[in-house]
Each structure stands twice: as structure tokens, then as C-alpha cells.
Amino acid sequence: MKVLKNELIYFATALMFFTRIPVPFTIPYSGEIMNKSQKYFAWIGLLVGVINAVLLYLFTLLFNLEIGIVLMMIGSVLLTGAFHEDGFTDMCDSFGGGYGKEKILTIMKDSRVGAYGTIGIILLFALKFFSIQSLGTIDLLKTLAIIVMAHTSSRFISGTMIYTHQYVTDIDVSKSKPLANKPLDGTALVVGFLSVLISFAMIPDWRLILAFVMAYAGKISMGWYFKKHIGGYTGDCLGSVQQVCEVLFYLGTMIAWKFI
């Protein structure tokens, strides 16, 4: 019972950290609990993906595909509190406007959104909209499953940064966000990857492995870039990796369906 209770606490911690979904009970918090919750990051992605897919289906029935996608994206932002999107805009501003590790991290902690962040998030949303629209025009039901797979896979891939790269300590600790920054053993990776396998079971199409590979290649490239300029990753870097990998999954699916 104690083990089950602890796992429930870890899951609820991840749920509260990544979404605005209320947890109907009080849970303890510590750095150790935050780190152990990382095994459920991808599972939260699975949940968010399912909710997004349901929203798109319902809104498409009420209106049309294009309006459905916009309303789904609004719902997703409200559901997560724009958690990852905020990290992406901070990343664009800091790496676009800063030079050197100290300057980049200083800009990253600034709550204001600059030109790089504004342009970046607009282009990201445009890519997300048009890629989902293109897929939905081909097959809406399969696209709903792709959305679940993209959310799950991108959060799993983003979480692997904790295992492959070094966490960069915030220059202003008082402003730092709580973050799982210490890798667990391989069991946690298996637990997280299980959610990816479940999402892939929705469409038994081997071609979608290309979409996952393309998304992971994006993580490798961004990880190399972060390491080169600041020596590792921050919480905002993880959020940006999730957003980019989600879009890359959609684009990878388009390539797979078109050419294979």
C-alpha cells in the first residue's frame, strides 16, 4: 500500500506540475518527489494528448477542421497553463538576444517576452496548425491518434534530456522553477516509454517510427546547441524541446505518409 501511495504522489506531482488539472487531495512536496515524478512525464503527455484529441473531434463536429484545430490549441494552452510554450518563448528570447552563458541565462529568467520569443511562438503555432490541418484533411481519425502520439512522444523525448545532458544551475536561485533534474535508474525510462508504446498501439503503422526518429533527432540537435552555448539545459530548454519535438512528430508523419 505504501508503494502504491508513493507512486500516486509521484503521478499527482507530475500532473500538478504540467497541467492545471486539480488534484483533489493534498500531497507533500520535496525535491526528491519532484525528481521521482519524472517517470510519469510522458504519461501526462498521453493524458494531455487524449484530451486534445477529444477536443478536436468535438469541435470539428460542431464547426469545421480549421476552427476545431484553433479551439483545440486554445484548450491545450488553458489545460497546461502554456507551460511548455512559455519555455519555448524564453528560449527564443535568450538564445536569440543573448551572447555568452551569463547573458543567455539572465534573459531566460526575464518574464518579459521580446521580439525573438514573439516571432518564434507565432511560427511554432503556425507550423502546428498547418501540419495538423494537412494530416486531418487526409484522415481525421488517424490524426486524432497522431496528436496523442505526438504529445506523449515529445514529453518522453524531452524528459530524456535529464539522462543525456547536464542541468545548468539557475543564476538566480530565488527565481528558479522546481525541476526534476536528476536522472533515475533505467526502470523510470521503461515506465515512461511504456506510455509511448501504448500511444503507438493506437495506429499499428511502422512508418510512424520515422516521426519518432525525426522528433528525437530534433532533441539531439537542440541538446547539442544548448550544451555549446550554456553547457547543458534548463527548465525552459526542456519546454522548448517538447514543443519542437511535438511539431517535428507531425512533420515526420506527413513525410512518412507522403513518401513511404
Side-chain angles (χ1 to χ4, degrees):
M1 285 296 295
K2 184 178 180 181
V3 173
L4 181 60
K5 180 181 178 181
N6 287 338
E7 294 302 319
L8 181 61
I9 290 174
Y10 302 150
F11 179 82
T13 299
L15 184 66
M16 292 177 63
F17 188 58
F18 287 114
T19 74
R20 296 290 179 86
I21 299 175
V23 176
F25 54 87
T26 303
I27 61 174
Y29 175 80
S30 68
E32 180 182 2
I33 291 175
M34 187 67 234
N35 277 300
K36 289 186 176 180
S37 72
Q38 68 184 257
K39 68 179 74 173
Y40 294 113
F41 287 2
W43 286 92
I44 302 303
L46 179 63
L47 175 61
V48 171
V50 168
I51 294 174
N52 274 268
V54 171
L55 289 176
L56 178 58
Y57 179 73
L58 294 177
F59 287 136
T60 301
L61 289 179
L62 291 173
F63 307 105
N64 58 31
L65 177 61
E66 289 74 22
I67 293 177
I69 295 173
V70 173
L71 291 176
M72 178 202 70
M73 292 170 65
I74 293 173
S76 181
V77 168
L78 293 175
L79 178 65
T80 63
F83 185 80
H84 299 294
E85 290 83 354
D86 176 66
F88 179 80
T89 56
D90 286 343
M91 184 275 295
C92 290
D93 276 332
S94 58
F95 285 94
Y99 182 79
K101 178 179 178 179
E102 183 176 349
K103 184 63 175 179
I104 290 173
L105 292 177
T106 299
I107 296 175
M108 193 174 292
K109 301 311 298 181
D110 192 335
S111 60
R112 293 171 295 182
V113 179
Y116 288 104
T118 302
I119 295 170
I121 197 66
I122 290 174
L123 294 176
L124 180 81
F125 280 154
L127 263 178
K128 191 176 296 188
F129 173 86
F130 286 112
S131 58
I132 295 176
Q133 180 196 38
S134 179
L135 293 171
T137 302
I138 299 173
D139 191 319
L140 178 60
L141 292 181
K142 285 187 176 181
T143 299
L144 298 178
I146 294 299
I147 289 172
V148 178
M149 296 165 68
H151 278 275
T152 308
S153 297
S154 61
R155 282 168 174 80
F156 173 78
I157 292 172
S158 176
T160 62
M161 289 282 291
I162 301 172
Y163 292 81
T164 60
H165 292 75
Q166 183 178 354
Y167 175 67
V168 179
T169 304
D170 293 318
I171 57 173
D172 186 350
V173 178
S174 65
K175 294 182 180 180
S176 64
K177 300 176 183 178
L179 175 68
N181 52 44
K182 296 179 181 179
L184 300 178
D185 56 34
T187 303
L189 273 177
V190 173
V191 171
F193 191 65
L194 180 60
S195 65
V196 176
L197 294 179
I198 291 174
S199 69
F200 267 73
M202 299 176 67
I203 304 180
D205 187 341
W206 67 270
R207 295 176 299 174
L208 296 178
I209 296 176
L210 173 64
F212 186 89
V213 171
M214 186 168 172
Y216 198 87
K219 173 255 182 178
I220 293 175
S221 299
M222 295 180 73
W224 172 83
Y225 186 81
F226 296 152
K227 183 177 181 180
K228 176 182 178 181
H229 290 280
I230 62 173
Y233 71 91
T234 66
D236 289 325
C237 293
L238 293 183
S240 63
V241 169
Q242 185 279 319
Q243 285 291 293
V244 171
C245 288
E246 181 188 339
V247 172
L248 287 175
F249 196 97
Y250 299 137
L251 297 177
T253 301
M254 292 175 63
I255 294 174
W257 285 2
K258 185 174 183 179
F259 296 104
I260 302 179

